[in-house]
Every structure is written in structure tokens, then in C-alpha cells.
Amino acid sequence: MAKILLINPIIREEDKPKHIPYGLSLMAAIAMEKGHEVQFYDANAWRLGYDVIEEVATADDWDVIGIGGLTTAYSSIKKIVGICKKVSPKSFIIAGGGFITSMPLDIMNWLKEIDLGVIGEAFLTWPEILEKIDRKDFDFSECLGVCYRDEEGNPVLTDVRPNIADLDILPYPAWDLLPMEIYFENSQLLYSESAYLAKRRIDVNGSLGCSLVCKYCWHLGIIGDMTVEKNENGVKDVRFSYGRNIRYHSPRYIVDMVKTLVEKYNIDFVSFIDENMMTMDAASGRKWLFELCDLWIAEGLQPTSRRDGVPDSENKGGVFWGGTSHATLHTEEVLKAMFKAGCSHLVYGIESFDPTILKNLGKGSTQKNNLEAVPKCLSTGIIPLPNIIIGFPEESFDSIRTTIECMIKIGMYSRPHFATPYPGSEWYYTYKNAILEQYNGDLEAYIEDLGDASKITAVISHNFSPVELLGLQEIVAKRDLRLLEHTIAYYESIGRVKMAPENPYVLPNATFNIIKKKVTTPISEVVSI
């Protein structure tokens, strides 16, 4: 069987490691279930520098070195695959995850060290690849869901791999391969009292994807949104659409996993890393979250403070949790059920209060929804964590003013993120020419520059420059209407009352990679991994 080394790259070096490599540890579990030998080096948790990568890569004769992650880990991935190919040239290097699925041809052209890319959902592709490598069969031209190299070394995409139908056929992540104590040391989150008091917090993913079509978001094939077709040059490339395969774990699967985590690691808090728990609940006909909460309580996971009706600071046992919500799709009934079961906080992507921006965003919420969401959530006992974004394509002084006024109205503070065209999002493809313009034609430089959206990178606002957005970020964070009006008065004094509606610096462009309609890719008939 294959001898495999999996490496988790460094993510956000400026921040402590707080979240386990969920997808990569799931790949480790799948490989081990097939009988392969797997070792895991978590470079993000250990933070021992890149010199150690060389030691790890030469510690054994690895048949496969696997790596994966989001685009924000690209710089680290680039360094790691370079080291691995140099010191372990016989190892077959496989990359997967969002960073390569969003732009497989670009990544394979930039990183010649990668022998094979896994594109889209990897649950079935990964074990098939390992089986072929075991047989010394390196012809991947008939393997769905990969980007292989032809005889000249050029990347070639195969057709899309269908999604699995039932997420419950997946094993639990291979937690025992991870340095769990490092993650437990960083359990505290400044989100709520119980999240801050957490001593052994862990991530759990209850679903894949989301039903919404927010233009800043990406799903990258894990929700049936990806096809592979020939582009205008006759080369196969990825296309993303509004297609959706809604899938979530059963409440039984989730609760049994959490009970296992309590038994193995004595955890006291779960961070649900689902894209949006409320959209999954809506897709279930309003059953999923109620059933999850009922089972959470029935199986003894409910915090005693919630059971006894006392402050959470008096909790003597049980597992708190937090996740994601949606201003339009939550209800008072489900929020109360979630609070009773131990939910302490929910992240809300409010994004803006401007009606025009919300209408164009694809999020499905209105100003009224957003105004009601925060107090409604708070009234049930759950702490709402609202996110705000500025720098939308149609952002204006009027939309900024509206957002600040609404924040003041409901007593909300938020330091806004910047609208960022991440690869795989509709914004990325629509503004790709503008990104190239702002990075002197060097697309890889932009990818290497991406971190979280609190940093300004490529601007897609038609009206504001980077320096103006940095100033507006401070004004919104401080809810300072006086400074905003003073700024508007200044621009009026120099004749810039109305911004240019078609700023050539950020002109949108037609794109092959986005299909603006529902084109859902198939579901696999496989019933076990």
C-alpha cells in the first residue's frame, strides 16, 4: 500500500492556529481505511519554519506527498511543494482543495512541482488515485476530477467528479494524527462568554456548501456548482454556476461524532464550520436544526447551565457550540431551540444595509431583514456576530451613510472587511482584468497577496480608490457620520460630487468561467467510501 505524507500548510502566520485541517485530516482517514500508511505534518499548528519541511520530506521514502488548502495558503503551499520536490524527487506530489480547484490550469503552470491536482470533491477521487499509484499506473486521463500532466508537462483537466449523495458515509477526521493539544491551547474565542471560557474546543463540519449565490463566495465543486468544459481556446477549464447539491450530515452522525470527541478529548465546545447552517435547515424543511438540538439534549451534550436555567459561568458540564446563521432564514423558534441546546453565538453575514447593494449581492436578505436580525438573535440569548463589508462595486457615499445609520439604530459595531474577489467567486472572474491591471499583469502576485478580507488587495469598487476605502473603513468602524459628511463636503468642493459610473480601472468583463444560472452537476450512486 502507498506510503503517504500529508502536509497542512501555514495559514495566516499572524494568527495562532485555531482550526484543525478538517478536509486534509478527512483525506487521511479515508486513506487509512483503505489500508495505506499515512503520516501527517501539521506545519500550521507546529509553526517550526520551513527548514523542518525538508526533514519531514526526507524522513521516509514517501510514495505520495499530499498538500491542500484554500487560496489564502498559496504562499505556504508554493514554498512547501518546492522543498518537497527538491529533497524527495521520487515522491508523487498531489495537491487538492480550494486553491487548485478555483484555478487549476494557472496553479499547475505556476507550480511545476505538483504532479497531479484533485479538482472539486475528493472523497472518491482520492482513494481511486491511491489505488492507481499502488498499481504503478500513472495514466490519469480516465480518472474523473483531476488535473494531470501530459507528456510535455502541460496540465490537462478531466471531466468533473459527481458529488457523493450521503455525507454520512464519510469517516471521522483522523484527529489522532494531529497535534490536538496545540489547537486546544488556542480554544478561546472572543465571541461569547462560553466561547471565551472554552478549554477544549474543536471544529465540526455538519454540511457542505450553501444554497445562496453571494457574488463574493465560492463553493468549488463541493456543492454541485462546477462543470468542466472546453473554453474558447478548445482547452478544458472549470466553470462555476448557481447549481446546488444540498447535503448535510444527519443529526445522529453529528451527535455521535461529538460524543466521540467528548470521550476521546473531553471537549467542551464545538465550532461548526459550516458555510451557513440556516440555509441547510431551510433546505431540510425546517427539520435539521430542531432534530439536531433535540438529539444534542437527549444524548446528554446540553450544557448544565442551559438545562438548569443558570448563567453559563455556572456551567458544570456539557458542550457549548457556535456556528453561522442568516438574517432572512432564521426564526425565533429555531434560535430558542439552539440556545436551549447550548448555542452561544452565531455569525451573521449582514454585509451592508444598503438596499441596492443587498439586491445585487445575491444574498437574499433586505435592509429590513438585517435590521431585525441582530436584536432577534440577541433576544433569544445567543450572541450575534455581524459582519460588514465595504468596497462593493456599486458602493457610494450614500450606501456608506445608510450602513452607518443602521448600525447606530440597532447599536451595532463592526470593523468592516473589504470586498475581495477571491478565486472561484463570481467577482473574481468578472473583475479578473481589473485585478491584472492592479497587479501589473502578474496574477500570481495577487494570489500570493491574499489573506483575510481585513487587508485591502484588488479593489472592485467602481467609485473608490484603495486609500479612500481605507479611510472609509475607519469611518464605518467608528460610526462617525460627522467625518463622513465632512468628506462628502470636501469632494463636493473639488467638483467630485458624483463618482464616475464606469471607472476604467475596475471595468467588469465577460467571462467563460461563470454560468449565471443553475447548472447542477450529477450526484454519484456510490453508497460507501
Side-chain angles (χ1 to χ4, degrees):
M1 305 302 281
K3 191 176 292 183
I4 303 165
L5 169 65
L6 293 177
I7 302 177
N8 183 35
I10 298 172
I11 306 158
R12 294 177 183 166
E13 288 190 70
E14 71 281 5
D15 198 8
K16 293 179 179 178
K18 294 177 180 174
H19 300 287
I20 64 169
Y22 202 92
L24 210 53
S25 55
L26 197 51
M27 293 303 115
I30 291 172
M32 289 192 293
E33 282 200 347
K34 297 294 184 183
H36 301 287
E37 299 178 43
V38 181
Q39 291 291 325
F40 202 105
Y41 179 64
D42 193 339
N44 187 51
W46 289 109
R47 305 286 175 96
L48 297 175
Y50 289 99
D51 292 344
V52 177
I53 298 292
E54 186 171 329
E55 296 178 29
V56 173
T58 55
D60 209 331
D61 295 324
W62 309 109
D63 297 309
V64 171
I65 296 179
I67 193 166
L70 298 175
T71 301
T72 48
Y74 178 75
S75 293
S76 178
I77 291 171
K78 180 179 180 179
K79 292 176 185 174
I80 290 171
V81 297
I83 293 169
C84 290
K85 182 56 78 175
K86 179 182 177 182
V87 302
S88 185
K90 293 183 179 178
S91 299
F92 195 72
I93 295 183
I94 302 175
F99 91 99
I100 193 166
T101 296
S102 61
M103 45 195 315
L105 302 180
D106 288 320
I107 295 292
M108 293 288 280
N109 281 321
W110 293 335
L111 303 184
K112 304 294 186 185
E113 300 88 351
I114 296 175
D115 295 302
L116 187 75
V118 179
I119 311 304
E121 190 167 283
F123 303 135
L124 300 176
T125 310
W126 171 239
E128 184 176 318
I129 290 169
L130 296 178
E131 185 180 335
K132 286 173 68 66
I133 291 175
D134 260 358
R135 299 197 308 267
K136 309 299 182 188
D137 174 9
F138 292 91
D139 178 2
F140 294 96
S141 58
E142 300 298 321
C143 181
L144 295 177
V146 301
C147 189
Y148 67 95
R149 295 192 185 279
D150 64 16
E151 292 180 353
E152 287 74 40
N154 300 312
V156 180
L157 267 174
T158 62
D159 290 337
V160 69
R161 170 83 61 175
N163 296 140
I164 61 172
D166 181 8
L167 295 185
D168 284 2
I169 66 175
L170 296 174
Y172 297 157
W175 304 298
D176 289 349
L177 296 184
L178 308 178
M180 295 297 289
E181 290 304 323
I182 294 178
Y183 289 106
F184 291 143
E185 286 172 7
N186 298 309
S187 287
Q188 291 181 326
L189 296 175
L190 278 171
Y191 291 164
S192 62
E193 182 178 21
S194 52
Y196 185 69
L197 295 174
K199 293 180 172 57
R200 299 179 77 79
R201 178 183 54 82
I202 195 169
D203 303 307
V204 167
N205 190 31
S207 60
L208 285 180
C210 173
S211 61
L212 305 174
V213 291
C214 304
K215 291 179 172 53
Y216 56 76
C217 197
W218 65 89
H219 303 290
L220 306 176
I222 61 171
I223 194 168
D225 61 319
M226 185 180 75
T227 65
V228 172
E229 300 172 29
K230 289 184 178 179
N231 61 23
E232 61 273 15
N233 298 318
V235 177
K236 281 187 174 180
D237 200 356
V238 290
R239 302 187 80 187
F240 298 101
S241 76
Y242 298 165
R244 295 292 183 267
N245 289 326
I246 296 296
R247 295 169 299 160
Y248 40 84
H249 283 295
S250 67
R252 170 53 64 188
Y253 179 98
I254 295 170
V255 167
D256 284 351
M257 179 192 282
V258 175
K259 288 176 66 179
T260 301
L261 287 164
V262 171
E263 292 168 5
K264 286 175 69 75
Y265 301 109
N266 192 29
I267 65 157
D268 59 359
F269 199 100
V270 164
S271 288
F272 280 101
I273 56 174
D274 303 49
E275 281 191 52
N276 197 313
M277 299 180 78
M278 214 57 75
T279 63
M280 293 297 155
D281 189 57
S284 74
R286 299 297 183 185
K287 296 178 181 177
W288 186 57
L289 280 176
F290 283 110
E291 291 176 0
L292 177 62
C293 292
D294 288 344
L295 197 57
W296 196 277
I297 294 170
E299 293 290 345
L301 296 173
Q302 181 190 31
T304 57
S305 58
R306 300 291 170 88
R307 181 195 65 195
D308 300 337
V310 298
D312 288 339
S313 57
E314 297 180 24
N315 182 52
K316 296 180 176 62
V319 182
F320 287 100
W321 49 286
T324 47
S325 189
H326 187 273
T328 302
L329 300 176
H330 71 175
T331 65
E332 187 173 348
E333 290 74 22
V334 77
L335 291 172
K336 286 180 177 177
M338 294 166 75
F339 176 81
K340 184 180 178 183
C343 182
S344 74
H345 65 262
L346 288 170
V347 176
Y348 284 79
I350 297 294
E351 323 307 14
S352 174
F353 286 95
D354 182 78
T356 301
I357 288 175
L358 290 172
K359 182 179 179 181
N360 293 339
L361 191 56
K363 197 170 185 66
S365 56
T366 64
Q367 183 188 86
K368 182 175 185 292
N369 298 144
N370 283 351
L371 283 169
E372 293 174 349
V374 173
K376 179 189 285 186
C377 180
L378 198 58
S379 70
T380 66
I382 297 173
I383 302 296
L385 302 171
N387 281 330
I388 292 291
I389 296 174
I390 63 169
F392 294 96
E394 57 279 270
E395 193 82 84
S396 66
F397 283 132
D398 287 340
S399 64
I400 292 287
R401 182 191 291 112
T402 298
T403 290
I404 294 175
E405 288 174 344
C406 289
M407 289 170 66
I408 293 172
K409 185 175 183 179
I410 60 174
M412 167 186 160
Y413 281 92
S414 178
R415 186 173 185 78
H417 293 94
F418 295 109
T420 303
Y422 286 103
S425 70
E426 185 171 334
W427 277 350
Y428 171 76
Y429 298 109
T430 303
Y431 289 98
K432 192 171 181 178
N433 291 344
I435 295 169
L436 288 167
E437 178 73 19
Q438 294 174 58
Y439 278 81
N440 300 317
D442 188 347
L443 188 61
E444 188 182 17
Y446 169 64
I447 301 303
E448 291 187 87
D449 202 24
L450 285 171
D452 67 36
S454 60
K455 172 187 174 183
I456 199 163
T457 54
V459 171
I460 59 172
S461 169
H462 295 194
N463 297 323
F464 296 115
S465 69
V467 69
E468 290 167 333
L469 288 174
L470 285 167
L472 288 170
Q473 183 189 44
E474 288 299 317
I475 288 174
V476 174
K478 294 175 180 176
R479 308 187 313 185
D480 196 329
L481 284 173
R482 184 194 66 80
L483 269 182
L484 179 67
E485 299 302 338
H486 182 66
T487 304
I488 295 171
Y490 168 77
Y491 278 115
E492 288 176 343
S493 73
I494 61 172
R496 190 180 156 187
V497 180
K498 294 292 184 183
M499 303 297 182
E502 292 186 354
N503 181 352
Y505 197 53
V506 288
L507 276 180
N509 53 267
T511 174
F512 163 83
N513 299 99
I514 284 289
I515 310 169
K516 296 183 180 181
K517 58 183 179 180
K518 291 185 177 181
V519 179
T520 304
T521 49
I523 286 282
S524 169
E525 295 180 358
V526 172
V527 294
S528 64
I529 295 292

